[in-house]
Amino acid sequence: MTPQAEIARAARILRAGGLVAFPTETVYGLGADAANPQAVARLYAVKRRPADHPVIVHFADAALAFSWAREVPESARRLAARFWPGPLTLILKRSALAGDFVTGGQDSVGLRVPAHPVAQALLRAFAGKQGGRAFSGVAAPSANRFGAVSPTTAAHVRADLGDEVDCVLDGGPSEVGIESTILDLSGAAPVLLRPGRIGAGEIEAAIGARLAEKAADAPRHPGGLERHYAPRTPAALVPSWRLDAEIAKRGAKVAVLAFSRPDERVYRWLRMPRDPQAYAQRLYAALRELDEAGCERILVEAPPETPEWAAVRDRLARATA
Ligand code: TXA
Ligand code: MG
């Protein structure tokens, strides 16, 4: 099939209520028509995701996305102009288009316009009118089982979800490698719910306001669960200065993710880049590889405590919680 024919087929599957896994620049998503309760119910079943956890709805452009919000603050317009299409999700007060089955019953909805060309082509092909129905948004959590490491290649999706999805579009490895930054603009002050490639500083500069800290009663979202994005093998975060001692203590059956050069005592060693964006791009594939090495424990050398590492530190903290 030509790429265009494949996209057209995937869009038909979505319109008919099927499930399509597709690449985005962050991670691969598992898509369903966000206005179709049966399709979204099947999406949750395949992910083994609890029904009260909301999903992000994806659109081809900001105008479509904002039609799912009943109020669009100036800050949202600025951020959309600056960062969409791109790895940013905005939480806004929902319009009547956003049903309880995508918002987890909350009065807000998560909106994102991804930049990946395959995601863009799919969302554009999906949107439009047919048979008296208007199609616009695609609900898409990461295309993995609930709580596990997100997929950054089509092969990861097939390994995780196999024949439970109707179609897997392959767009190569995801460029960002970790999930989108999530910013909640549904309350009195903007709140960063999940750090990502787009940093807090860039957002503050774009809206000319400081971001509030996440409150203890913030809306429930699985990215906020303590243990998430986690491999099956027990994993621990270790400061650089303690890595040697920890390896000596653990013995051979240990797998290590580190900045430094391999240590021959160790069964499996992956050396990671010192650039935070390059690190993020490789992180989930690396965790999968170490998970499959059959070790008793994964040791992860802790990255620096600087702002540009915030998103990677967040994912590592959850993977090792
Ligand atoms: O990069 C990404 O965001 C990827 C790609 C596929 O777009 N998607 C993704 O979806 O990471 P998921 O479902 O794995 O994580 C979405 C996060 C969850 O923590 C969810 O609870 C939160 O977004 N979320 C969605 N709607 C929300 C809402 N109305 N209020 C608070 N959190 C919300
Ligand atoms: Mg996820």
Side-chain angles (χ1 to χ4, degrees):
M1 248 192 285
T2 64
Q4 294 99 304
E6 230 189 308
I7 297 282
R9 176 176 166 264
R12 277 198 305 276
I13 291 172
L14 285 177
R15 284 187 175 191
L19 302 184
V20 173
F22 62 97
T24 84
E25 68 278 23
T26 57
V27 300
Y28 274 66
L30 180 60
D33 176 0
N36 181 334
Q38 288 82 26
V40 175
R42 201 181 136 211
L43 176 68
Y44 275 63
V46 167
K47 271 209 61 123
R48 320 264 191 271
R49 184 178 184 134
D52 61 345
H53 287 283
V55 282
I56 296 172
V57 188
H58 298 65
F59 300 88
D61 59 48
L64 272 181
F66 287 154
S67 70
W68 282 55
R70 69 173 183 275
E71 271 172 42
V72 182
E74 177 57 26
S75 55
R77 295 198 189 280
R78 278 198 210 166
L79 290 168
R82 171 86 176 76
F83 296 113
W84 278 353
L88 176 68
T89 296
L90 299 177
I91 310 288
L92 298 178
K93 288 181 181 143
R94 67 170 164 177
S95 75
L97 292 173
D100 282 340
F101 55 92
V102 286
T103 69
Q106 300 187 60
D107 193 32
S108 60
V109 61
L111 308 171
R112 169 155 132 76
V113 177
H116 194 291
V118 173
Q120 272 289 324
L122 177 66
L123 292 165
R124 263 186 271 115
F126 170 74
K129 291 203 170 75
Q130 188 192 352
R133 291 199 47 203
F135 297 93
S136 60
V138 172
S142 50
N144 54 283
R145 304 262 191 236
F146 185 68
V149 177
S150 293
T152 54
T153 66
H156 292 162
V157 177
R158 288 193 204 97
D160 286 357
L161 305 177
D163 48 16
E164 287 187 69
V165 301
D166 302 311
C167 169
V168 179
L169 293 174
D170 190 343
S174 295
E175 185 232 313
V176 175
I178 54 171
E179 303 78 359
S180 60
T181 304
I182 303 183
L183 185 69
D184 187 353
L185 294 175
S186 69
V191 182
L192 187 71
L193 293 183
R194 183 172 71 185
R197 162 77 75 93
I198 297 171
E202 283 178 274
I203 292 171
E204 290 178 336
I207 63 178
R210 293 302 299 265
L211 300 185
E213 292 291 316
K214 186 159 66 184
D217 63 352
R220 288 188 62 176
H221 63 111
L225 291 183
E226 209 157 85
R227 188 178 158 80
H228 206 74
Y229 314 115
R232 293 174 305 257
T233 313
L237 207 54
V238 181
S240 309
W241 61 268
R242 231 183 52 214
L243 195 57
D244 240 25
E246 202 64 30
I247 290 167
K249 194 170 95 195
R250 297 278 170 196
K253 271 269 171 182
V254 93
V256 176
L257 194 68
F259 297 106
S260 38
R261 58 180 175 72
D263 178 323
E264 65 280 355
R265 285 171 298 179
V266 164
Y267 184 71
R268 193 82 185 78
W269 186 289
L270 285 182
R271 193 171 180 183
M272 295 297 278
R274 289 193 182 270
D275 168 66
Q277 294 189 356
Y279 189 110
Q281 205 266 326
R282 288 181 47 186
L283 176 60
Y284 289 151
L287 287 177
R288 280 167 186 265
E289 198 176 324
L290 294 181
D291 210 9
E292 277 151 24
C295 291
E296 282 154 15
R297 202 166 181 81
I298 296 172
L299 301 179
V300 181
E301 182 175 0
E305 295 281 332
T306 50
E308 63 272 20
W309 286 93
V312 164
R313 278 203 314 275
D314 170 79
R315 301 314 189 279
L316 286 177
R318 293 175 205 291
T320 58

